[in-house]
PDB file of all heavy atoms in Angstrom:
ATOM      1  N   GLU A 171      74.663 119.568 -48.965  1.00 94.00           N
ATOM      2  CA  GLU A 171      73.365 119.566 -49.641  1.00 94.00           C
ATOM      3  C   GLU A 171      73.526 119.464 -51.152  1.00 94.00           C
ATOM      4  O   GLU A 171      72.694 118.852 -51.834  1.00 94.00           O
ATOM      5  CB  GLU A 171      72.574 120.812 -49.257  1.00 94.00           C
ATOM      6  CG  GLU A 171      72.087 120.783 -47.817  1.00 94.00           C
ATOM      7  CD  GLU A 171      71.529 122.105 -47.339  1.00 94.00           C
ATOM      8  OE1 GLU A 171      71.138 122.923 -48.205  1.00 94.00           O
ATOM      9  OE2 GLU A 171      71.476 122.327 -46.119  1.00 94.00           O
ATOM     10  N   GLU A 172      74.592 120.040 -51.690  1.00 95.00           N
ATOM     11  CA  GLU A 172      74.852 119.908 -53.125  1.00 95.00           C
ATOM     12  C   GLU A 172      75.227 118.463 -53.479  1.00 95.00           C
ATOM     13  O   GLU A 172      74.899 117.978 -54.568  1.00 95.00           O
ATOM     14  CB  GLU A 172      75.959 120.870 -53.564  1.00 95.00           C
ATOM     15  CG  GLU A 172      75.560 122.330 -53.550  1.00 95.00           C
ATOM     16  CD  GLU A 172      74.472 122.675 -54.567  1.00 95.00           C
ATOM     17  OE1 GLU A 172      74.217 121.863 -55.479  1.00 95.00           O
ATOM     18  OE2 GLU A 172      73.882 123.756 -54.449  1.00 95.00           O
ATOM     19  N   VAL A 173      75.905 117.785 -52.568  1.00 97.00           N
ATOM     20  CA  VAL A 173      76.189 116.366 -52.792  1.00 97.00           C
ATOM     21  C   VAL A 173      74.884 115.584 -52.848  1.00 97.00           C
ATOM     22  O   VAL A 173      74.668 114.753 -53.741  1.00 97.00           O
ATOM     23  CB  VAL A 173      77.106 115.797 -51.691  1.00 97.00           C
ATOM     24  CG1 VAL A 173      77.410 114.317 -51.972  1.00 97.00           C
ATOM     25  CG2 VAL A 173      78.407 116.588 -51.596  1.00 97.00           C
ATOM     26  N   ALA A 174      73.991 115.842 -51.905  1.00 96.00           N
ATOM     27  CA  ALA A 174      72.693 115.163 -51.888  1.00 96.00           C
ATOM     28  C   ALA A 174      71.936 115.404 -53.183  1.00 96.00           C
ATOM     29  O   ALA A 174      71.343 114.479 -53.761  1.00 96.00           O
ATOM     30  CB  ALA A 174      71.873 115.634 -50.688  1.00 96.00           C
ATOM     31  N   ASN A 175      71.955 116.633 -53.651  1.00 95.00           N
ATOM     32  CA  ASN A 175      71.270 116.959 -54.894  1.00 95.00           C
ATOM     33  C   ASN A 175      71.823 116.137 -56.061  1.00 95.00           C
ATOM     34  O   ASN A 175      71.076 115.649 -56.913  1.00 95.00           O
ATOM     35  CB  ASN A 175      71.414 118.449 -55.185  1.00 95.00           C
ATOM     36  CG  ASN A 175      70.631 118.885 -56.403  1.00 95.00           C
ATOM     37  OD1 ASN A 175      69.420 118.702 -56.491  1.00 95.00           O
ATOM     38  ND2 ASN A 175      71.323 119.471 -57.359  1.00 95.00           N
ATOM     39  N   ALA A 176      73.141 115.960 -56.080  1.00 97.00           N
ATOM     40  CA  ALA A 176      73.781 115.200 -57.157  1.00 97.00           C
ATOM     41  C   ALA A 176      73.598 113.693 -57.018  1.00 97.00           C
ATOM     42  O   ALA A 176      73.842 112.948 -57.966  1.00 97.00           O
ATOM     43  CB  ALA A 176      75.274 115.545 -57.217  1.00 97.00           C
ATOM     44  N   LEU A 177      73.164 113.240 -55.857  1.00 97.00           N
ATOM     45  CA  LEU A 177      72.948 111.799 -55.627  1.00 97.00           C
ATOM     46  C   LEU A 177      71.560 111.329 -56.042  1.00 97.00           C
ATOM     47  O   LEU A 177      71.270 110.132 -55.969  1.00 97.00           O
ATOM     48  CB  LEU A 177      73.140 111.472 -54.137  1.00 97.00           C
ATOM     49  CG  LEU A 177      74.578 111.429 -53.611  1.00 97.00           C
ATOM     50  CD1 LEU A 177      74.560 111.325 -52.096  1.00 97.00           C
ATOM     51  CD2 LEU A 177      75.356 110.260 -54.214  1.00 97.00           C
ATOM     52  N   ARG A 178      70.707 112.216 -56.478  1.00 95.00           N
ATOM     53  CA  ARG A 178      69.311 111.850 -56.717  1.00 95.00           C
ATOM     54  C   ARG A 178      69.145 110.770 -57.784  1.00 95.00           C
ATOM     55  O   ARG A 178      68.156 110.053 -57.782  1.00 95.00           O
ATOM     56  CB  ARG A 178      68.491 113.087 -57.072  1.00 95.00           C
ATOM     57  CG  ARG A 178      68.276 114.024 -55.887  1.00 95.00           C
ATOM     58  CD  ARG A 178      67.358 115.160 -56.228  1.00 95.00           C
ATOM     59  NE  ARG A 178      67.929 116.000 -57.276  1.00 95.00           N
ATOM     60  CZ  ARG A 178      67.273 117.014 -57.847  1.00 95.00           C
ATOM     61  NH1 ARG A 178      66.027 117.282 -57.486  1.00 95.00           N
ATOM     62  NH2 ARG A 178      67.854 117.738 -58.786  1.00 95.00           N
ATOM     63  N   GLY A 179      70.108 110.650 -58.670  1.00 94.00           N
ATOM     64  CA  GLY A 179      70.025 109.616 -59.700  1.00 94.00           C
ATOM     65  C   GLY A 179      70.604 108.282 -59.280  1.00 94.00           C
ATOM     66  O   GLY A 179      70.546 107.309 -60.043  1.00 94.00           O
ATOM     67  N   HIS A 180      71.178 108.197 -58.086  1.00 97.00           N
ATOM     68  CA  HIS A 180      71.751 106.939 -57.605  1.00 97.00           C
ATOM     69  C   HIS A 180      70.638 105.943 -57.243  1.00 97.00           C
ATOM     70  O   HIS A 180      69.487 106.318 -57.055  1.00 97.00           O
ATOM     71  CB  HIS A 180      72.630 107.193 -56.378  1.00 97.00           C
ATOM     72  CG  HIS A 180      74.018 107.647 -56.715  1.00 97.00           C
ATOM     73  ND1 HIS A 180      74.280 108.725 -57.527  1.00 97.00           N
ATOM     74  CD2 HIS A 180      75.238 107.153 -56.342  1.00 97.00           C
ATOM     75  CE1 HIS A 180      75.593 108.893 -57.634  1.00 97.00           C
ATOM     76  NE2 HIS A 180      76.197 107.946 -56.927  1.00 97.00           N
ATOM     77  N   GLN A 181      71.039 104.682 -57.119  1.00 96.00           N
ATOM     78  CA  GLN A 181      70.084 103.631 -56.794  1.00 96.00           C
ATOM     79  C   GLN A 181      70.536 102.851 -55.572  1.00 96.00           C
ATOM     80  O   GLN A 181      71.738 102.676 -55.340  1.00 96.00           O
ATOM     81  CB  GLN A 181      69.908 102.675 -57.983  1.00 96.00           C
ATOM     82  CG  GLN A 181      69.347 103.353 -59.222  1.00 96.00           C
ATOM     83  CD  GLN A 181      69.042 102.367 -60.326  1.00 96.00           C
ATOM     84  OE1 GLN A 181      69.101 101.162 -60.123  1.00 96.00           O
ATOM     85  NE2 GLN A 181      68.698 102.879 -61.498  1.00 96.00           N
ATOM     86  N   ASP A 182      69.541 102.393 -54.825  1.00 97.00           N
ATOM     87  CA  ASP A 182      69.767 101.494 -53.689  1.00 97.00           C
ATOM     88  C   ASP A 182      70.714 102.096 -52.655  1.00 97.00           C
ATOM     89  O   ASP A 182      71.635 101.434 -52.170  1.00 97.00           O
ATOM     90  CB  ASP A 182      70.295 100.137 -54.179  1.00 97.00           C
ATOM     91  CG  ASP A 182      69.335  99.477 -55.160  1.00 97.00           C
ATOM     92  OD1 ASP A 182      68.111  99.577 -54.944  1.00 97.00           O
ATOM     93  OD2 ASP A 182      69.811  98.892 -56.145  1.00 97.00           O
ATOM     94  N   LEU A 183      70.465 103.351 -52.308  1.00 98.00           N
ATOM     95  CA  LEU A 183      71.240 104.004 -51.261  1.00 98.00           C
ATOM     96  C   LEU A 183      70.438 104.028 -49.961  1.00 98.00           C
ATOM     97  O   LEU A 183      69.218 104.162 -49.971  1.00 98.00           O
ATOM     98  CB  LEU A 183      71.576 105.451 -51.633  1.00 98.00           C
ATOM     99  CG  LEU A 183      72.477 105.714 -52.825  1.00 98.00           C
ATOM    100  CD1 LEU A 183      72.741 107.211 -52.948  1.00 98.00           C
ATOM    101  CD2 LEU A 183      73.780 104.932 -52.745  1.00 98.00           C
ATOM    102  N   LEU A 184      71.165 103.917 -48.862  1.00 98.00           N
ATOM    103  CA  LEU A 184      70.616 104.196 -47.536  1.00 98.00           C
ATOM    104  C   LEU A 184      71.315 105.447 -47.033  1.00 98.00           C
ATOM    105  O   LEU A 184      72.536 105.451 -46.852  1.00 98.00           O
ATOM    106  CB  LEU A 184      70.849 103.033 -46.573  1.00 98.00           C
ATOM    107  CG  LEU A 184      70.492 103.310 -45.104  1.00 98.00           C
ATOM    108  CD1 LEU A 184      68.998 103.603 -44.951  1.00 98.00           C
ATOM    109  CD2 LEU A 184      70.917 102.143 -44.217  1.00 98.00           C
ATOM    110  N   VAL A 185      70.553 106.516 -46.830  1.00 98.00           N
ATOM    111  CA  VAL A 185      71.117 107.796 -46.406  1.00 98.00           C
ATOM    112  C   VAL A 185      70.602 108.125 -45.012  1.00 98.00           C
ATOM    113  O   VAL A 185      69.388 108.195 -44.789  1.00 98.00           O
ATOM    114  CB  VAL A 185      70.742 108.927 -47.382  1.00 98.00           C
ATOM    115  CG1 VAL A 185      71.244 110.275 -46.855  1.00 98.00           C
ATOM    116  CG2 VAL A 185      71.305 108.653 -48.766  1.00 98.00           C
ATOM    117  N   ILE A 186      71.527 108.316 -44.080  1.00 97.00           N
ATOM    118  CA  ILE A 186      71.182 108.770 -42.732  1.00 97.00           C
ATOM    119  C   ILE A 186      71.680 110.202 -42.602  1.00 97.00           C
ATOM    120  O   ILE A 186      72.850 110.485 -42.896  1.00 97.00           O
ATOM    121  CB  ILE A 186      71.829 107.885 -41.645  1.00 97.00           C
ATOM    122  CG1 ILE A 186      71.409 106.426 -41.810  1.00 97.00           C
ATOM    123  CG2 ILE A 186      71.455 108.382 -40.254  1.00 97.00           C
ATOM    124  CD1 ILE A 186      72.431 105.564 -42.509  1.00 97.00           C
ATOM    125  N   THR A 187      70.805 111.099 -42.190  1.00 96.00           N
ATOM    126  CA  THR A 187      71.193 112.504 -42.161  1.00 96.00           C
ATOM    127  C   THR A 187      70.594 113.223 -40.963  1.00 96.00           C
ATOM    128  O   THR A 187      69.521 112.847 -40.466  1.00 96.00           O
ATOM    129  CB  THR A 187      70.769 113.213 -43.468  1.00 96.00           C
ATOM    130  OG1 THR A 187      71.257 114.564 -43.460  1.00 96.00           O
ATOM    131  CG2 THR A 187      69.260 113.214 -43.644  1.00 96.00           C
ATOM    132  N   ASN A 188      71.277 114.253 -40.519  1.00 93.00           N
ATOM    133  CA  ASN A 188      70.740 115.175 -39.517  1.00 93.00           C
ATOM    134  C   ASN A 188      70.513 116.546 -40.147  1.00 93.00           C
ATOM    135  O   ASN A 188      70.551 117.569 -39.471  1.00 93.00           O
ATOM    136  CB  ASN A 188      71.664 115.282 -38.304  1.00 93.00           C
ATOM    137  CG  ASN A 188      73.034 115.816 -38.658  1.00 93.00           C
ATOM    138  OD1 ASN A 188      73.520 115.648 -39.785  1.00 93.00           O
ATOM    139  ND2 ASN A 188      73.695 116.445 -37.695  1.00 93.00           N
ATOM    140  N   ASN A 189      70.235 116.533 -41.445  1.00 91.00           N
ATOM    141  CA  ASN A 189      70.025 117.745 -42.220  1.00 91.00           C
ATOM    142  C   ASN A 189      68.668 117.633 -42.922  1.00 91.00           C
ATOM    143  O   ASN A 189      68.507 116.832 -43.850  1.00 91.00           O
ATOM    144  CB  ASN A 189      71.164 117.887 -43.247  1.00 91.00           C
ATOM    145  CG  ASN A 189      71.086 119.181 -44.037  1.00 91.00           C
ATOM    146  OD1 ASN A 189      70.034 119.750 -44.234  1.00 91.00           O
ATOM    147  ND2 ASN A 189      72.245 119.617 -44.526  1.00 91.00           N
ATOM    148  N   LEU A 190      67.682 118.400 -42.475  1.00 93.00           N
ATOM    149  CA  LEU A 190      66.349 118.308 -43.062  1.00 93.00           C
ATOM    150  C   LEU A 190      66.332 118.690 -44.534  1.00 93.00           C
ATOM    151  O   LEU A 190      65.521 118.173 -45.312  1.00 93.00           O
ATOM    152  CB  LEU A 190      65.370 119.197 -42.292  1.00 93.00           C
ATOM    153  CG  LEU A 190      65.020 118.782 -40.861  1.00 93.00           C
ATOM    154  CD1 LEU A 190      63.908 119.669 -40.322  1.00 93.00           C
ATOM    155  CD2 LEU A 190      64.604 117.321 -40.793  1.00 93.00           C
ATOM    156  N   ASN A 191      67.225 119.579 -44.944  1.00 92.00           N
ATOM    157  CA  ASN A 191      67.291 119.965 -46.356  1.00 92.00           C
ATOM    158  C   ASN A 191      67.730 118.788 -47.218  1.00 92.00           C
ATOM    159  O   ASN A 191      67.227 118.593 -48.327  1.00 92.00           O
ATOM    160  CB  ASN A 191      68.242 121.144 -46.532  1.00 92.00           C
ATOM    161  CG  ASN A 191      67.789 122.370 -45.755  1.00 92.00           C
ATOM    162  OD1 ASN A 191      66.678 122.855 -45.938  1.00 92.00           O
ATOM    163  ND2 ASN A 191      68.635 122.853 -44.872  1.00 92.00           N
ATOM    164  N   VAL A 192      68.661 117.984 -46.723  1.00 95.00           N
ATOM    165  CA  VAL A 192      69.082 116.778 -47.434  1.00 95.00           C
ATOM    166  C   VAL A 192      67.922 115.792 -47.532  1.00 95.00           C
ATOM    167  O   VAL A 192      67.659 115.209 -48.592  1.00 95.00           O
ATOM    168  CB  VAL A 192      70.290 116.128 -46.719  1.00 95.00           C
ATOM    169  CG1 VAL A 192      70.544 114.714 -47.239  1.00 95.00           C
ATOM    170  CG2 VAL A 192      71.532 116.985 -46.916  1.00 95.00           C
ATOM    171  N   ALA A 193      67.224 115.596 -46.424  1.00 95.00           N
ATOM    172  CA  ALA A 193      66.087 114.672 -46.427  1.00 95.00           C
ATOM    173  C   ALA A 193      65.027 115.104 -47.431  1.00 95.00           C
ATOM    174  O   ALA A 193      64.465 114.267 -48.164  1.00 95.00           O
ATOM    175  CB  ALA A 193      65.490 114.584 -45.027  1.00 95.00           C
ATOM    176  N   MET A 194      64.751 116.402 -47.511  1.00 93.00           N
ATOM    177  CA  MET A 194      63.745 116.900 -48.445  1.00 93.00           C
ATOM    178  C   MET A 194      64.180 116.696 -49.889  1.00 93.00           C
ATOM    179  O   MET A 194      63.347 116.473 -50.776  1.00 93.00           O
ATOM    180  CB  MET A 194      63.476 118.386 -48.178  1.00 93.00           C
ATOM    181  CG  MET A 194      62.776 118.653 -46.859  1.00 93.00           C
ATOM    182  SD  MET A 194      61.129 117.899 -46.789  1.00 93.00           S
ATOM    183  CE  MET A 194      60.264 118.888 -48.011  1.00 93.00           C
ATOM    184  N   GLN A 195      65.461 116.751 -50.156  1.00 94.00           N
ATOM    185  CA  GLN A 195      65.959 116.541 -51.511  1.00 94.00           C
ATOM    186  C   GLN A 195      65.834 115.085 -51.944  1.00 94.00           C
ATOM    187  O   GLN A 195      65.626 114.806 -53.127  1.00 94.00           O
ATOM    188  CB  GLN A 195      67.427 116.975 -51.606  1.00 94.00           C
ATOM    189  CG  GLN A 195      67.636 118.472 -51.609  1.00 94.00           C
ATOM    190  CD  GLN A 195      69.111 118.826 -51.653  1.00 94.00           C
ATOM    191  OE1 GLN A 195      69.938 118.182 -51.015  1.00 94.00           O
ATOM    192  NE2 GLN A 195      69.453 119.842 -52.410  1.00 94.00           N
ATOM    193  N   LEU A 196      65.961 114.156 -50.997  1.00 96.00           N
ATOM    194  CA  LEU A 196      66.123 112.753 -51.365  1.00 96.00           C
ATOM    195  C   LEU A 196      64.917 111.853 -51.081  1.00 96.00           C
ATOM    196  O   LEU A 196      64.818 110.771 -51.665  1.00 96.00           O
ATOM    197  CB  LEU A 196      67.347 112.170 -50.641  1.00 96.00           C
ATOM    198  CG  LEU A 196      68.702 112.769 -51.023  1.00 96.00           C
ATOM    199  CD1 LEU A 196      69.807 112.123 -50.200  1.00 96.00           C
ATOM    200  CD2 LEU A 196      68.988 112.594 -52.510  1.00 96.00           C
ATOM    201  N   TYR A 197      64.008 112.271 -50.221  1.00 94.00           N
ATOM    202  CA  TYR A 197      63.004 111.299 -49.756  1.00 94.00           C
ATOM    203  C   TYR A 197      62.045 110.870 -50.854  1.00 94.00           C
ATOM    204  O   TYR A 197      61.445 109.789 -50.770  1.00 94.00           O
ATOM    205  CB  TYR A 197      62.244 111.840 -48.543  1.00 94.00           C
ATOM    206  CG  TYR A 197      61.094 112.764 -48.860  1.00 94.00           C
ATOM    207  CD1 TYR A 197      59.780 112.278 -48.950  1.00 94.00           C
ATOM    208  CD2 TYR A 197      61.297 114.128 -49.075  1.00 94.00           C
ATOM    209  CE1 TYR A 197      58.719 113.124 -49.237  1.00 94.00           C
ATOM    210  CE2 TYR A 197      60.249 114.964 -49.358  1.00 94.00           C
ATOM    211  CZ  TYR A 197      58.962 114.469 -49.441  1.00 94.00           C
ATOM    212  OH  TYR A 197      57.917 115.308 -49.724  1.00 94.00           O
ATOM    213  N   ARG A 198      61.886 111.659 -51.895  1.00 94.00           N
ATOM    214  CA  ARG A 198      60.988 111.276 -52.987  1.00 94.00           C
ATOM    215  C   ARG A 198      61.637 110.312 -53.985  1.00 94.00           C
ATOM    216  O   ARG A 198      60.939 109.777 -54.851  1.00 94.00           O
ATOM    217  CB  ARG A 198      60.520 112.525 -53.742  1.00 94.00           C
ATOM    218  CG  ARG A 198      59.536 113.395 -52.977  1.00 94.00           C
ATOM    219  CD  ARG A 198      58.966 114.466 -53.884  1.00 94.00           C
ATOM    220  NE  ARG A 198      57.948 115.254 -53.206  1.00 94.00           N
ATOM    221  CZ  ARG A 198      58.198 116.395 -52.576  1.00 94.00           C
ATOM    222  NH1 ARG A 198      59.431 116.858 -52.521  1.00 94.00           N
ATOM    223  NH2 ARG A 198      57.219 117.067 -52.003  1.00 94.00           N
ATOM    224  N   GLN A 199      62.932 110.094 -53.868  1.00 96.00           N
ATOM    225  CA  GLN A 199      63.616 109.222 -54.819  1.00 96.00           C
ATOM    226  C   GLN A 199      63.294 107.763 -54.489  1.00 96.00           C
ATOM    227  O   GLN A 199      63.598 107.300 -53.377  1.00 96.00           O
ATOM    228  CB  GLN A 199      65.125 109.467 -54.781  1.00 96.00           C
ATOM    229  CG  GLN A 199      65.527 110.916 -55.021  1.00 96.00           C
ATOM    230  CD  GLN A 199      64.952 111.477 -56.307  1.00 96.00           C
ATOM    231  OE1 GLN A 199      65.030 110.859 -57.361  1.00 96.00           O
ATOM    232  NE2 GLN A 199      64.366 112.672 -56.218  1.00 96.00           N
ATOM    233  N   PRO A 200      62.714 107.019 -55.415  1.00 95.00           N
ATOM    234  CA  PRO A 200      62.238 105.661 -55.092  1.00 95.00           C
ATOM    235  C   PRO A 200      63.346 104.671 -54.768  1.00 95.00           C
ATOM    236  O   PRO A 200      63.092 103.657 -54.112  1.00 95.00           O
ATOM    237  CB  PRO A 200      61.473 105.247 -56.351  1.00 95.00           C
ATOM    238  CG  PRO A 200      62.034 106.104 -57.448  1.00 95.00           C
ATOM    239  CD  PRO A 200      62.390 107.404 -56.803  1.00 95.00           C
ATOM    240  N   LYS A 201      64.568 104.955 -55.211  1.00 96.00           N
ATOM    241  CA  LYS A 201      65.672 104.030 -54.995  1.00 96.00           C
ATOM    242  C   LYS A 201      66.593 104.465 -53.856  1.00 96.00           C
ATOM    243  O   LYS A 201      67.690 103.932 -53.690  1.00 96.00           O
ATOM    244  CB  LYS A 201      66.497 103.884 -56.280  1.00 96.00           C
ATOM    245  CG  LYS A 201      65.728 103.281 -57.445  1.00 96.00           C
ATOM    246  CD  LYS A 201      65.357 101.832 -57.172  1.00 96.00           C
ATOM    247  CE  LYS A 201      64.701 101.193 -58.384  1.00 96.00           C
ATOM    248  NZ  LYS A 201      64.369  99.759 -58.134  1.00 96.00           N
ATOM    249  N   ILE A 202      66.153 105.453 -53.083  1.00 97.00           N
ATOM    250  CA  ILE A 202      66.952 105.945 -51.965  1.00 97.00           C
ATOM    251  C   ILE A 202      66.107 105.918 -50.697  1.00 97.00           C
ATOM    252  O   ILE A 202      65.034 106.520 -50.642  1.00 97.00           O
ATOM    253  CB  ILE A 202      67.482 107.370 -52.216  1.00 97.00           C
ATOM    254  CG1 ILE A 202      68.355 107.404 -53.471  1.00 97.00           C
ATOM    255  CG2 ILE A 202      68.260 107.886 -51.004  1.00 97.00           C
ATOM    256  CD1 ILE A 202      68.852 108.795 -53.836  1.00 97.00           C
ATOM    257  N   GLU A 203      66.586 105.200 -49.685  1.00 98.00           N
ATOM    258  CA  GLU A 203      65.919 105.201 -48.386  1.00 98.00           C
ATOM    259  C   GLU A 203      66.576 106.257 -47.499  1.00 98.00           C
ATOM    260  O   GLU A 203      67.803 106.314 -47.400  1.00 98.00           O
ATOM    261  CB  GLU A 203      66.025 103.830 -47.720  1.00 98.00           C
ATOM    262  CG  GLU A 203      65.319 103.764 -46.369  1.00 98.00           C
ATOM    263  CD  GLU A 203      65.406 102.405 -45.703  1.00 98.00           C
ATOM    264  OE1 GLU A 203      65.936 101.469 -46.337  1.00 98.00           O
ATOM    265  OE2 GLU A 203      64.963 102.280 -44.550  1.00 98.00           O
ATOM    266  N   VAL A 204      65.759 107.068 -46.866  1.00 98.00           N
ATOM    267  CA  VAL A 204      66.271 108.170 -46.046  1.00 98.00           C
ATOM    268  C   VAL A 204      65.843 107.963 -44.596  1.00 98.00           C
ATOM    269  O   VAL A 204      64.670 107.718 -44.313  1.00 98.00           O
ATOM    270  CB  VAL A 204      65.747 109.528 -46.547  1.00 98.00           C
ATOM    271  CG1 VAL A 204      66.256 110.658 -45.649  1.00 98.00           C
ATOM    272  CG2 VAL A 204      66.171 109.768 -47.993  1.00 98.00           C
ATOM    273  N   ILE A 205      66.809 108.059 -43.694  1.00 97.00           N
ATOM    274  CA  ILE A 205      66.543 108.038 -42.263  1.00 97.00           C
ATOM    275  C   ILE A 205      67.009 109.369 -41.688  1.00 97.00           C
ATOM    276  O   ILE A 205      68.158 109.780 -41.896  1.00 97.00           O
ATOM    277  CB  ILE A 205      67.277 106.869 -41.568  1.00 97.00           C
ATOM    278  CG1 ILE A 205      66.761 105.537 -42.102  1.00 97.00           C
ATOM    279  CG2 ILE A 205      67.097 106.951 -40.053  1.00 97.00           C
ATOM    280  CD1 ILE A 205      67.499 104.327 -41.561  1.00 97.00           C
ATOM    281  N   VAL A 206      66.106 110.043 -40.972  1.00 95.00           N
ATOM    282  CA  VAL A 206      66.417 111.357 -40.415  1.00 95.00           C
ATOM    283  C   VAL A 206      66.643 111.224 -38.914  1.00 95.00           C
ATOM    284  O   VAL A 206      65.819 110.625 -38.207  1.00 95.00           O
ATOM    285  CB  VAL A 206      65.283 112.359 -40.684  1.00 95.00           C
ATOM    286  CG1 VAL A 206      65.635 113.735 -40.110  1.00 95.00           C
ATOM    287  CG2 VAL A 206      65.011 112.463 -42.178  1.00 95.00           C
ATOM    288  N   ALA A 207      67.744 111.758 -38.433  1.00 92.00           N
ATOM    289  CA  ALA A 207      68.024 111.766 -36.998  1.00 92.00           C
ATOM    290  C   ALA A 207      66.987 112.617 -36.277  1.00 92.00           C
ATOM    291  O   ALA A 207      66.546 113.658 -36.791  1.00 92.00           O
ATOM    292  CB  ALA A 207      69.423 112.307 -36.743  1.00 92.00           C
ATOM    293  N   GLY A 208      66.571 112.168 -35.095  1.00 86.00           N
ATOM    294  CA  GLY A 208      65.608 112.917 -34.313  1.00 86.00           C
ATOM    295  C   GLY A 208      66.291 113.905 -33.383  1.00 86.00           C
ATOM    296  O   GLY A 208      67.480 113.787 -33.088  1.00 86.00           O
ATOM    297  N   GLY A 209      65.532 114.869 -32.931  1.00 84.00           N
ATOM    298  CA  GLY A 209      66.084 115.838 -31.997  1.00 84.00           C
ATOM    299  C   GLY A 209      65.592 117.237 -32.300  1.00 84.00           C
ATOM    300  O   GLY A 209      64.661 117.439 -33.091  1.00 84.00           O
ATOM    301  N   SER A 210      66.210 118.222 -31.679  1.00 82.00           N
ATOM    302  CA  SER A 210      65.842 119.622 -31.880  1.00 82.00           C
ATOM    303  C   SER A 210      66.259 120.085 -33.264  1.00 82.00           C
ATOM    304  O   SER A 210      67.369 119.797 -33.722  1.00 82.00           O
ATOM    305  CB  SER A 210      66.526 120.506 -30.828  1.00 82.00           C
ATOM    306  OG  SER A 210      66.136 120.127 -29.526  1.00 82.00           O
TER     307      SER A 210
END
């Protein structure tokens, strides 16, 4: 999650995660696309 926090200034990233905390950190960044794994 600290890595995700430090990536917020990056551009043109595609991030796939199974960590909702990571998704919440990154989904508002306009240059980062976030895909969240589904499941429990």
Side-chain angles (χ1 to χ4, degrees):
E171 289 169 21
E172 290 295 345
V173 181
N175 185 57
L177 285 171
R178 289 186 297 174
H180 277 54
Q181 298 186 9
D182 302 321
L183 295 184
L184 171 63
V185 175
I186 302 99
T187 185
N188 61 332
N189 184 333
L190 292 187
N191 299 303
V192 167
M194 291 297 292
Q195 286 178 321
L196 295 178
Y197 83 95
R198 288 189 176 94
Q199 305 306 312
K201 297 294 185 178
I202 300 177
E203 181 179 355
V204 178
I205 297 175
V206 181
S210 300

